[in-house]
Amino acid sequence: MSKSPFTFLCINILIICIFPVSLYSQATVAPDRLTLFPPVDIALLLAGNFGEPRINHFHSGIDIKTNGTTGVPVHAIADGYVSRIKVEPGGYGHALYIRHPNGLTTLCGHLSAFNRDIEQYVRGEQYRRESFAVDLFPEATRLVIRKGQVVAFTGNSGSSEGPHLHFEMRETQSENPVNPLIRGIKVKDDIPPIIEKLWVFSLKDRRNWIRPVPTEVRKNGSIYTPAGMNPVAMDALSGIGIEVYDLLNGSSNHCGVYRIKAYLDDSLFFESCLDEFSFAETRYMNSFMDYKTYIERHKAILKLYIDPNNQASVYRFARNRGQIEVNDRVVHQFKILVTDAAGNQSEVRFDGKFEPSRFSRDPSFLPLYQAYFNYEEPNTFKTDGFEINLPAGALYEDLYFDYSVADPRPGSFSPLYNVHRPEVPVHLFFNIAIKAERIPENLRSKATIAQSAGGSRFTSLGGTWEGDRLITRTRSFGSFCVMADTVRPSVSPLNFSTSAQLKTLNSFKFTLRDDFSGIRSYRGEIDGKWILLEYDPKQNLLEYQYDPARIQSGITHQMTVRVSDQVGNTNKYSISFFR
C-alpha cells in the first residue's frame, strides 16, 4: 500500500524526535576500533597507562605526553554531549566529561582551557556562583559535540606533575573506569613487559615481621629464569611477588601490566586483569602491591596473593587466595605469564622448594606490640593522652599494633605519639584523639593535629575539640601531636610592583602561601565586585585575566585580594590603579 507525503513527513518527524533519546540510552558496548578519533593530533606516547600502580589508587586512565608543552588541541573521540565540567585547584584541574551514545563517557583532565563555547559557559557560571571551583552538569542539548571537534587544550592544571593529557573512558551507567587501550584507543606497543625480580613472602603468623626473599631473574631467549639460586626458597605458607613493568614504544616511562596468570605444577592458581574497576575499590592498590616497598623505593612488587580484606574486582581467580602451601621436600614448578594491553607477553619459570631457613625476621620489626587488631572488627586503643578508633574493614589483614610516646617537639602542645608504622597501609579513615591540656585558651581555635612528614616537617590534619581532646581523622599511620597555627597566610603581587604597571597588564599574578594548615578560601574584588582568580596550589599562584567587559574603563579602581587559612588566620592585599 502506498503512503501519502503526509505519512512520510509524520514518520520522519517521529524518527527525529526518538533519535536523541535512543542515542544516549543504549547498553554499553565497546566502540569500533576504526571509528574513534584520536584525542590529540600528535603521536600517542604514554607517560602512564590504565591500572598502573600509584600510591592509594589504580591509575584510572592513560596519560598522553604533550612534548612538555601546554595548549595542544584536544579532540572528541566520537559524537556526544558535554555532561559535566569540573574546575578545581587540585585533582584533575580543568576537566571535561563527554557522554557518548555507545554507553561510554570520556574524561579529559589537567586541561589549560576549553573551547570557546564551553569556556564561555564555564566563565558565566563561575561569575554567577562567585567561585573559581565549580562542578557543572549542563543539560544534554546545551553543548553538543561532534567527533573530531576541538573541545579543549592540554595543560598542567590540578594535581599534575607536568604537562600532559589525562584521558579516561568510563562506563556511563556504573561510572567505572575502563581500559582505553582495549576499548579502541590505539597506541603503538610491540614491547613485552619487563620482569626484574621475583619475591617470596612468608604468609605465616606475624607475616609482616618476616623479611621477603628476593630472586633476581634474567632473560634466556623468550623466557625469564632465576639468575641465582634455583629452586627458589618457599616457606610453609608463601605468596609470590613479581617486580614488573611495561614499556610502550617511544617512551621510557615504566607503566603497569594488563594481565598476570600464575601456575603451580601446570595448574592455574592466580589471575588478575586490569580492564575495569570501580572508584570505590581503587585504594585496594595499596594491597595489590607491596606497599612498604613502594613508599620506600618507589618499586611496585605486584602480589600474586590476596590479603584477607582485599576485595578488589581485578582478581579473576585465586585458589586459596593465591597462598601456596609447601611443606614437603618436592621441587615444584612455577610459571608466570605477564601480558600488556597490546597482547605482548613475557614469561618467567622457576622451581620452588620448601626451605624455611631462608626466611628470617626483619630487623626493623621488633617482636613487641601493644594490641592485636582483627581486620573484621572495630578496633580501639586508648591511653591517658591518646585514643585511636579504626572501623571494621579499615585494615587489609590482622595487625599487631605498635605504639610509643616521645617527648614533645618544639612548638607542640602534646607529646609525639608514634602510631604503628607509616609503611603499613590503611584502607578506611579512622579517628585519633589527642589530649592537649597545656594549650593556652587563646590558641584553642588555632589548634590542629599535626602529622610528622619527616625531620622537622609536619602536615596539618585539622581537628575539632571535645573537652580537652582534639579529634581528627586520617587514613595513614605515623607520628602525631597537637600544634597551633598562628601565622597568617601571605598574598603578594608577582608580576607587578606599582599601580602604574596595572594600566596595561592583561594578567595580574599573585603569590599565595601558607606555612602550615593550608589555604581554606580566597576572594578577589575590583570596586567591590567579585573577580575570577584562578588558583594553582603547585605554584602558589593566583592569576586574574583582566576582563574589560566586566570592568568600567577610564576610572580609578580599587582591587583587594583576601585570603584565609584552615584555622581562620586571614590576610589581604589592596592596591588602587587607573584603567
Side-chain angles (χ1 to χ4, degrees), residues 250-264:
S251 175
S252 61
N253 295 73
H254 290 192
C255 293
V257 298
Y258 175 60
R259 188 189 301 271
I260 302 175
K261 299 177 76 171
Y263 298 81
L264 170 59

Side-chain angles (χ1 to χ4, degrees), residues 68-229:
T69 64
T70 62
V72 176
V74 178
H75 300 268
I77 65 167
D79 290 350
Y81 68 88
V82 175
S83 59
R84 185 182 184 187
I85 309 162
K86 190 171 185 180
V87 178
E88 58 183 335
Y92 293 138
H94 288 60
L96 183 69
Y97 298 71
I98 300 175
R99 183 172 174 178
H100 304 285
N102 59 6
L104 294 177
T105 295
T106 51
L107 159 66
C108 298
H110 305 307
L111 303 169
S112 60
F114 307 109
N115 72 16
R116 185 183 61 182
D117 292 341
I118 300 172
E119 192 77 28
Q120 185 177 15
Y121 167 72
V122 173
R123 186 65 56 91
E125 287 297 306
Q126 288 173 316
Y127 269 92
R128 187 176 69 84
R129 301 169 188 229
E130 295 191 351
S131 175
F132 163 63
V134 291
D135 195 1
L136 309 173
F137 297 86
E139 58 272 21
T141 57
R142 179 159 195 141
L143 296 168
V144 177
I145 300 299
R146 296 303 176 198
K147 182 175 78 171
Q149 180 180 349
V150 174
V151 293
F153 302 89
T154 65
N156 188 31
S157 61
S159 302
S160 169
E161 296 180 358
H164 71 281
L165 173 64
H166 176 85
F167 178 85
E168 285 184 25
M169 282 184 174
R170 298 183 184 180
E171 286 190 343
T172 298
Q173 186 171 6
S174 67
E175 296 189 353
N176 287 352
V178 296
N179 195 333
L181 300 184
I182 62 171
R183 297 291 186 115
I185 298 299
K186 295 173 132 182
V187 175
K188 186 175 182 181
D189 179 13
D190 55 20
I191 306 172
I194 310 298
I195 301 172
E196 291 192 318
K197 196 177 294 186
L198 293 170
W199 294 81
V200 179
F201 295 83
S202 174
L203 301 183
K204 296 191 304 181
D205 189 30
R206 304 185 185 183
R207 61 181 71 182
N208 286 331
W209 293 357
I210 302 176
R211 179 182 294 177
V213 176
T215 298
E216 301 284 346
V217 296
R218 62 187 173 195
K219 193 172 184 180
N220 295 315
S222 60
I223 298 173
Y224 289 84
T225 57
M229 183 175 294

Side-chain angles (χ1 to χ4, degrees), residues 235-276:
D235 207 351
L237 188 65
S238 301
I240 303 296
I242 183 168
E243 201 168 309
V244 60
Y245 62 90
D246 191 37
L247 291 176
L248 291 87
N249 293 56
S251 175
S252 61
N253 295 73
H254 290 192
C255 293
V257 298
Y258 175 60
R259 188 189 301 271
I260 302 175
K261 299 177 76 171
Y263 298 81
L264 170 59
D265 296 329
D266 292 326
S267 177
L268 180 71
F269 74 88
F270 175 89
E271 181 179 358
S272 64
C273 182
L274 283 161
D275 54 5
E276 178 181 350

